[in-house]
Amino acid sequence: MPRVERKGRANKKRGKKGGKKEEDTQATSITPGEAMDIDAPASNNVATQEGPGGVVFNDQHFQAAHFGEVDEELLGYFKNVEQTLDDPHFETGEDQRLFVENVYSEVDGNEFRLSTNYSCSLILEKLLKVSDSFQLRVFMDKLSGKTVELFAHRFASHVCQTLLTLAADVVEREQLEGVSANETSPAKEGEGELLSMEKLILGVCEDIKPHVGGLISQQFASHDIRILLFVLAGKRIDESGDIKGQLRSKKSTQYKKENNDTFTKSSVRLTPTRKVPDSFKAMFRTLTTELAINMSETEVRTLSVHKVANPVLQLLLEMQENDKEGQKAKNILIDRILWGIVTDIDSTEENRDRDSWFETMVRDPVGSHLLEVIVKCAPDAIYRKIFKTYLKGKLEKFSMHPIANFVIQNLITHVRKSKQLDQMMAELGKSFEKLLKFGKYGVIRSLVDASVRMESSQKAVVDAIATALHITEDAQRKEFVNCCMRMWTYEQWNEASEDEKLDLYKFHLQGSLIVQGIMKMEADVNAIVTNSFLSQRPDTVYRWCFSPAGSRAFESIVASPNVNAKIKKKIMRDLSGKYTALAKDKFGSHILDKCWAAADIDSKEKIAAELVKHEHELASHYIGKSILWTCKIDQYKRRHDDWVEREKGAERKREMFRDILDDTPVDKKRKFA
């Protein structure tokens, strides 16, 4: 009896049952192992999507591939494999390697079925993470030819993403060490030569190239395309620092956290770029050409406000190299996104279509993210055109908008010339009070950071902040640091109760960042912060040391090269007798580090003398022992004269190279708790 069409089951969320019911759609049944029909007539596989402003984009429709069900016996075997991988009891690395090889022998021939099965795809990801280079290449070789189907599959896309992430390490190793002869030999008799990971990845790119325009807007394939761009561009993949969701979706990230699955992390000791072959750079340009040049302007603009495709366009802009070809590709992409702005760079004629499109993008919750990237990486001429034509004179209006204000923040942060910053400050200077009132603190912080970087408009920025906080008289200036740290006006500070004034949770993150920025300014400008800080009672500012926001502000004052040494010495003197408590606190220990770096030999003697009294207590503390090592307390006790000479030598070197090198040590990343 011939098969008949039946209604397809609505897509279910990965790992969750239920959810919103979706309208069933007619789907042609596919026999096991049959791939989806990508090259079907346009009437069958083209979905029309309505975009903002009535723009219509004809997107490819990728139907979920089906390669057959996993039988119960194989499923049970993989459940046991998962238990072993989650709780390994291998005595040697060789035992683990043999175990993984045995698992791959069971996987052989079932790669597609396992990858498209919910439970097995999760186990495959874990298996890939303990596989060696040869096993990864064999597995990727088995998946070749079905890349598009797997990328577009709800479960297989995660397997491909993990595989590509791990493949980046293999490619880098091949570039540094080469591919040995035994690694290219066939795994079994009768099989062809195993390709290098470089060629396998290029094969993946060739598979997706005809469909890349549709894949970047497909909810599952888009993340795989992003990882592929990272690999081709030679950028390290750091999933743990993926705060914008460029690499993994929110659901995938949440699942990994809940199930203690490991993220791919990038070591701080490694460079942010990898060594990749020239063929990767050529392929990156090819994919850019497919998206930026071969697609119509209407399609590119529609993708720019598509929540799934938009991050891909962001990566294409950010990852272009600064050579001639990279600049050309970047300009073409920006030109197509912003309705010919590069083509009309010198034109003074009004373009109503572009004007209305820009107004749409800057307010769009998706398109605004792309606009942020454009103002960040656009050439100076395009940046100037965007600022003068569309944003100058409207900065206050856009700064007050809940979405557009982030574009303004990026515009200010990446300002190109001091003159432009002066114009921005002149326009926004009188709006600080309104920005504070409506909680748009990020715009003010961006102006602070930009004035530090450009060494311009610093006094105007600080004066505008003081005015916005209603601090206009000299007698009020001593409360500047209290008001700024909390983003309160002077009246709010006076009206607050004592408990509210002592509540460290009232510190505002943006207020702390603004104080930190001011402390990077010239001494005559940051004096308002230092004088206000010194006018506080020592026990009050001591409590700051145990607050995430307060400790950062405290550090910035001690570590600032624009603060007088006498002021720093007074601050350290006020902390006398409290260094042991600081050494055992996750925030206070950083302040102690900064004090030690800024202290002269006399101050270091006093700090060390206090720490040595509590050496046993600190040595058994997980934070305190690192402070003992930093201060070389063991040498201080045993060879005091050598310790003094060593510290004096370090001090002389700092003085000698103060004008050449930045004396501020590199901070480890700390999270605000």
Side-chain angles (χ1 to χ4, degrees):
M1 183 176 177
R3 286 181 177 268
V4 295
E5 286 190 354
R6 61 181 181 180
K7 288 190 175 182
R9 185 172 57 187
N11 285 334
K12 300 294 183 183
K13 293 182 180 179
R14 181 178 171 108
K16 292 186 178 181
K17 294 183 178 180
K20 293 183 179 179
K21 293 183 178 179
E22 298 178 8
E23 186 178 347
D24 289 342
T25 55
Q26 291 289 338
T28 306
S29 61
I30 304 174
T31 56
E34 183 182 350
M36 58 185 173
D37 188 8
I38 298 293
D39 299 319
S43 59
N44 293 333
N45 67 349
V46 175
T48 302
Q49 181 177 336
E50 187 79 9
V55 181
V56 177
F57 174 59
N58 291 327
D59 190 9
Q60 291 169 312
H61 177 65
F62 298 97
Q63 187 178 345
H66 182 65
F67 298 98
E69 299 295 334
V70 178
D71 59 67
E72 291 296 327
E73 184 179 351
L74 186 58
L75 189 61
Y77 171 76
F78 260 77
K79 289 290 184 183
N80 293 330
V81 169
E82 182 178 30
Q83 292 177 3
T84 306
L85 292 174
D86 289 341
D87 187 21
H89 295 288
F90 304 112
E91 294 183 0
T92 63
E94 180 64 18
D95 291 343
Q96 177 175 308
R97 190 186 66 79
L98 290 173
F99 170 77
V100 173
E101 279 189 2
N102 290 333
V103 176
Y104 273 114
S105 66
E106 294 293 330
V107 171
D108 189 27
N110 296 301
E111 290 84 4
F112 296 115
R113 284 194 295 165
L114 294 170
S115 297
T116 53
N117 178 274
Y118 165 64
S119 300
C120 295
S121 66
L122 295 169
I123 302 169
L124 269 181
E125 287 188 66
K126 296 178 181 180
L127 180 66
L128 290 170
K129 290 175 182 177
V130 296
S131 303
D132 59 28
S133 301
F134 182 76
Q135 291 161 342
L136 290 173
R137 287 165 55 206
V138 171
F139 188 79
M140 181 170 276
D141 185 55
K142 295 289 180 66
L143 300 184
S144 60
K146 300 289 184 183
T147 305
V148 177
E149 294 93 321
L150 296 175
F151 272 24
H153 194 277
R154 179 182 293 273
F155 307 134
S157 61
H158 292 271
V159 177
C160 293
Q161 186 171 349
T162 300
L163 181 60
L164 288 171
T165 303
L166 297 170
D169 292 323
V170 180
V171 172
E172 186 175 32
R173 203 174 302 121
E174 288 178 352
Q175 290 298 300
L176 297 174
E177 303 171 6
V179 185
S180 59
N182 60 338
E183 287 188 341
T184 58
S185 58
K188 294 181 180 179
E189 291 186 11
E191 293 183 355
E193 181 179 323
L194 180 62
L195 299 176
S196 65
M197 187 61 82
E198 174 191 349
K199 293 180 179 178
L200 289 169
I201 292 178
L202 291 175
V204 168
C205 296
E206 290 294 339
D207 286 345
I208 68 167
K209 192 164 65 173
H211 315 288
V212 68
L215 287 172
I216 68 170
S217 58
Q218 207 272 348
Q219 59 176 328
F220 308 124
S222 177
H223 294 88
D224 289 354
I225 300 294
R226 298 173 207 177
I227 292 291
L228 191 58
L229 292 177
F230 267 88
V231 175
L232 294 176
K235 305 291 184 183
R236 293 200 183 275
I237 300 166
D238 184 9
E239 292 181 343
S240 61
D242 180 29
I243 57 176
K244 288 189 174 182
Q246 286 185 326
L247 303 177
R248 286 194 176 271
S249 65
K250 291 180 181 178
K251 293 177 184 176
S252 177
T253 302
Q254 186 64 29
Y255 177 86
K256 281 182 169 286
K257 288 180 179 178
E258 291 175 355
N259 291 272
N260 295 320
D261 202 352
T262 55
F263 287 105
T264 303
K265 297 182 180 179
S266 179
S267 172
V268 293
R269 295 186 179 89
L270 298 174
T271 59
T273 56
R274 294 179 180 274
K275 183 176 177 59
V276 292
D278 293 336
S279 58
F280 274 23
K281 296 179 181 179
M283 180 55 72
F284 181 79
R285 293 277 163 80
T286 301
L287 293 180
T288 303
T289 302
E290 287 290 330
L291 290 169
I293 300 174
N294 293 349
M295 294 178 70
S296 70
E297 290 188 15
T298 303
E299 290 173 340
V300 173
R301 282 195 293 272
T302 305
L303 290 174
S304 66
V305 290
H306 191 288
K307 66 178 181 179
V308 177
N310 179 284
V312 181
L313 298 181
Q314 293 179 43
L315 291 178
L316 284 175
L317 284 172
E318 290 180 310
M319 290 182 174
Q320 296 297 334
E321 294 185 350
N322 290 324
D323 57 7
K324 186 177 179 181
E325 288 295 321
Q327 289 292 345
K328 180 182 176 182
K330 191 184 296 183
N331 288 344
I332 292 173
L333 194 52
I334 293 174
D335 191 60
R336 286 172 170 263
I337 293 169
L338 293 182
W339 215 296
I341 194 170
V342 180
T343 307
D344 300 338
I345 191 72
D346 298 320
S347 175
T348 56
E349 294 182 8
E350 184 181 1
N351 187 323
R352 292 187 177 181
D353 289 334
R354 184 165 63 234
D355 295 350
S356 60
W357 174 243
F358 189 92
E359 290 279 340
T360 299
M361 277 197 75
V362 78
R363 292 182 173 90
D364 187 80
V366 176
S368 61
H369 288 285
L370 184 57
L371 208 51
E372 290 176 38
V373 175
I374 289 175
V375 298
K376 173 185 173 183
C377 63
D380 292 352
I382 299 175
Y383 177 94
R384 184 171 62 251
K385 173 83 171 179
I386 292 172
F387 172 56
K388 290 181 67 176
T389 308
Y390 299 107
L391 297 174
K392 190 176 180 181
K394 303 176 183 176
L395 292 179
E396 181 184 333
K397 181 181 77 171
F398 287 136
S399 295
M400 300 304 297
H401 193 273
I403 293 171
N405 83 89
F406 293 102
V407 178
I408 301 302
Q409 289 181 40
N410 276 272
L411 178 84
I412 297 169
T413 302
H414 300 99
V415 66
R416 304 301 200 268
K417 295 182 179 179
S418 300
K419 184 179 178 181
Q420 292 171 342
L421 179 60
D422 294 341
Q423 292 172 347
M424 294 174 186
M425 187 56 211
E427 186 176 340
L428 286 171
K430 296 179 181 179
S431 305
F432 274 31
E433 185 173 353
K434 189 184 291 187
L435 292 171
L436 287 175
K437 181 180 178 181
F438 291 98
K440 300 299 181 284
Y441 313 110
V443 178
I444 298 174
R445 180 181 56 80
S446 299
L447 283 166
V448 171
D449 294 341
S451 67
V452 171
R453 183 171 64 87
M454 303 302 295
E455 297 181 353
S456 174
S457 298
Q458 293 183 358
K459 190 174 187 308
V461 170
V462 174
D463 288 345
I465 293 172
T467 303
L469 296 173
H470 298 175
I471 297 175
T472 54
E473 300 176 7
D474 291 342
Q476 299 171 339
R477 293 169 76 88
K478 69 176 183 178
E479 303 298 350
F480 177 86
V481 74
N482 286 321
C483 294
C484 191
M485 285 293 293
R486 295 166 176 82
M487 290 283 99
W488 287 354
T489 61
Y490 184 74
E491 291 78 14
Q492 286 176 300
W493 169 257
N494 285 334
E495 292 169 3
S497 65
E498 284 301 316
D499 289 340
E500 288 178 320
K501 290 181 179 180
L502 294 174
D503 187 0
L504 298 179
Y505 289 102
K506 296 293 184 182
F507 282 158
H508 199 288
L509 172 59
Q510 294 290 352
S512 176
L513 292 171
I514 289 171
V515 169
Q516 294 171 49
I518 293 174
M519 290 314 302
K520 296 175 184 176
M521 297 180 181
E522 298 297 327
D524 59 329
V525 180
N526 69 37
I528 189 172
V529 172
T530 52
N531 292 337
S532 175
F533 184 82
L534 292 174
S535 67
Q536 308 302 311
R537 291 169 52 188
D539 60 327
T540 300
V541 293
Y542 171 65
R543 298 179 71 253
W544 289 25
C545 301
F546 306 99
S547 158
S551 64
R552 286 285 195 174
F554 199 122
E555 284 178 45
S556 68
I557 296 170
V558 175
S560 175
N562 299 322
V563 173
N564 190 290
K566 291 182 179 179
I567 294 176
K568 294 182 181 181
K569 203 164 187 177
K570 181 186 182 306
I571 294 172
M572 293 179 207
R573 192 164 57 246
D574 290 340
L575 291 175
S576 181
K578 302 167 184 173
Y579 287 113
T580 303
L582 291 177
K584 295 190 293 182
D585 185 76
K586 63 179 179 179
F587 302 121
S589 59
H590 289 277
I591 292 176
L592 181 48
D593 282 337
K594 293 292 188 295
C595 288
W596 186 263
D600 57 18
I601 190 63
D602 293 333
S603 299
K604 286 183 177 179
E605 284 268 17
K606 293 175 182 177
I607 295 172
E610 181 180 335
L611 295 178
V612 79
K613 293 177 183 177
H614 303 87
E615 182 184 9
H616 181 71
E617 180 185 349
L618 293 173
S620 60
H621 194 274
Y622 72 104
I623 297 175
K625 60 185 178 183
S626 65
I627 295 294
L628 293 179
W629 183 87
T630 300
C631 301
K632 299 291 185 290
I633 296 301
D634 189 60
Q635 187 183 27
Y636 172 82
K637 288 193 313 176
R638 300 176 187 278
R639 299 189 302 277
H640 184 266
D641 292 341
D642 292 345
W643 179 87
V644 171
E645 284 301 316
R646 180 184 177 281
E647 295 300 331
K648 283 184 177 179
E651 193 175 330
R652 283 195 297 269
K653 286 179 182 177
R654 277 205 308 273
E655 289 295 330
M656 189 182 303
F657 297 106
R658 185 181 296 277
D659 296 332
I660 303 173
L661 301 174
D662 182 9
D663 188 46
T664 307
V666 177
D667 268 340
K668 293 180 180 178
K669 287 186 178 179
R670 287 160 52 201
K671 293 181 180 178
F672 284 97

